[in-house]
Amino acid sequence: MPAPAPSSTSETAAVPRPRRGTQAAARIADLPRIEEPREVAPANARELSRVFFRRLHELPEGTPEHRYVRNTLIEMNASLVQYAVRRFRRRGDADDIEDIVQVGTIGLIKAIDRFDPTRENEFATLAMPYITGEIKRHFRDTSWAVRVPRRLQELRTDIAKAKEELTATLDRSPTVADLADHLGLAQEDVIEGLVAANGHTSGSLDAPHTAHADGGDASADGHTLADVMGEEEPALERVEDIQTLAPLLEQLTDRERRMLRMRFGQELTQAQIGSALGISQMQVSRLLTRLLAHLRASMLEDPAPEEQAPRPA
């Protein structure tokens, strides 16, 4: 498959230029010396690549001749990387293009090292899957805002394709059950994939709140998303404790409730409580310790509604 020559000088410069062999290496390798491999026309590059590949497999690795042939093949076929990068241009920023080209070049080098010229196949047929595979792997590993297992990353792609197909077939948004039947998965697996998809992109807490408002008609009050996000209410746990404690207090005797009221409501000392109840301060201390231990244990239990919490002896 012929690939067009690169259309941008900056993109061409982004591909690393392998070190060229010397004229002696080219002469010993019994191959022509190509001064500018990147400027070879695609049709000529295909013909020259066949010759260079046959010679590459005849030369021992590590020799200057082998390096010259391999590096020349990399440069002559660099246009394949540029051709593949164009498919992913919208998925990366301008600053990322150089990284994508570098990653694609790694795939090109792998294809050159694994190409077998004796099979009489076109090199581009093998090279393009290697190049695009490396680029896709790069996006898979770097484009997620939250790192999730590869299995869930691939499941997200499958769910997205299934949603598109089922929406066209059913004329409505598919349910979890529809997606599970279509993909042959359990509904729990589909839900896990949908939840994991939330980690693909993230929003900034410094973004204006109006960008997240329903319908986008919120007033421009200058608040960021962080300013309007809810936070844990410190008193909420106390409310839950009070709701749990209320039925336990109803099970106490009048004397026990009065003792708690004087100690924690009126904030009387144990001596004052003992004087009011006609008992000693030591007895008040023991009763309060036993009563509070009973209430704490009862609050941590989960008794049936018809059961009553045990009373202290």
Side-chain angles (χ1 to χ4, degrees):
M1 179 180 63
S7 59
S8 170
T9 304
S10 61
E11 291 181 1
T12 303
V15 181
R17 289 180 177 268
R19 187 180 65 180
R20 300 193 185 102
T22 62
Q23 291 185 357
R27 185 172 60 254
I28 296 174
D30 196 22
L31 290 171
R33 169 68 180 176
I34 302 177
E35 296 294 338
E36 295 294 338
R38 296 172 185 275
E39 297 181 2
V40 177
N44 296 333
R46 289 198 302 273
E47 296 299 327
L48 286 172
S49 292
R50 293 190 183 99
V51 177
F52 273 69
F53 271 120
R54 286 194 294 268
R55 193 70 182 107
L56 181 68
H57 282 256
E58 296 171 356
L59 295 170
E61 294 186 12
T63 61
E65 296 79 18
H66 185 277
R67 286 195 298 269
Y68 163 72
V69 175
R70 184 172 180 266
N71 293 344
T72 302
L73 283 169
I74 293 172
E75 293 196 59
M76 277 198 303
N77 292 279
S79 59
L80 293 174
V81 178
Q82 301 295 341
Y83 180 75
V85 167
R86 293 173 189 172
R87 297 173 50 189
F88 300 92
R89 189 180 303 274
R90 293 183 179 180
R91 296 182 59 176
D93 299 332
D95 296 338
D96 296 334
I97 295 299
E98 182 176 351
D99 292 338
I100 299 173
V101 172
Q102 298 285 351
V103 170
T105 303
I106 294 175
L108 173 64
I109 294 173
K110 289 182 179 179
I112 289 174
D113 291 339
R114 299 173 186 180
F115 181 68
D116 185 0
T118 61
R119 297 188 177 184
E120 299 297 332
N121 294 325
E122 287 289 341
F123 172 65
T125 305
L126 173 71
M128 291 307 295
Y130 273 93
I131 296 171
T132 56
E134 287 293 329
I135 296 175
K136 289 179 180 179
R137 188 177 298 109
H138 167 74
F139 280 113
R140 186 191 66 217
D141 295 341
T142 61
S143 62
W144 282 68
V146 177
R147 180 66 176 170
V148 299
R150 179 177 178 180
R151 173 182 65 85
L152 295 180
Q153 294 180 12
E154 295 174 349
L155 180 57
R156 168 187 172 272
T157 303
D158 294 339
I159 291 176
K161 293 179 181 179
K163 275 186 176 181
E164 185 177 352
E165 295 176 5
L166 291 175
T167 299
T169 303
L170 303 175
D171 197 24
R172 60 174 173 81
S173 296
T175 63
V176 172
D178 295 331
L179 293 170
D181 292 340
H182 183 79
L183 296 173
L185 299 173
Q187 294 190 26
E188 292 77 8
D189 294 334
V190 174
I191 294 174
E192 186 180 15
L194 293 172
V195 173
N198 295 328
H200 188 260
T201 57
S202 61
S204 173
L205 293 177
D206 295 328
H209 174 49
T210 53
H212 301 270
D214 295 338
D217 57 353
S219 60
D221 52 9
H223 289 166
T224 65
L225 184 60
D227 295 332
V228 297
M229 285 186 63
E231 61 182 14
E232 185 176 352
E233 173 56 53
L236 182 60
E237 185 175 353
R238 182 178 300 176
V239 173
E240 295 176 349
D241 291 342
I242 292 175
Q243 294 296 323
T244 305
L245 184 60
L248 299 177
L249 293 177
E250 294 178 357
Q251 299 171 11
L252 302 179
T253 64
D254 293 338
R255 182 188 181 188
E256 291 168 340
R257 284 196 294 268
R258 183 183 176 191
M259 186 182 301
L260 291 175
R261 189 180 304 112
M262 288 189 292
R263 181 69 184 93
F264 298 102
Q266 302 174 13
E267 297 184 353
L268 301 180
T269 65
Q270 292 182 358
Q272 291 173 324
I273 296 174
S275 176
L277 296 178
I279 57 179
S280 67
Q281 184 269 337
M282 183 63 68
Q283 288 177 303
V284 173
S285 177
R286 291 175 180 174
L287 288 173
L288 284 174
T289 300
R290 186 180 305 171
L291 185 57
L292 293 176
H294 159 68
L295 292 174
R296 290 191 187 98
S298 300
M299 290 179 66
L300 295 175
E301 292 177 355
D302 189 17
E306 65 276 3
E307 294 182 354
Q308 292 186 347
R311 292 291 310 281

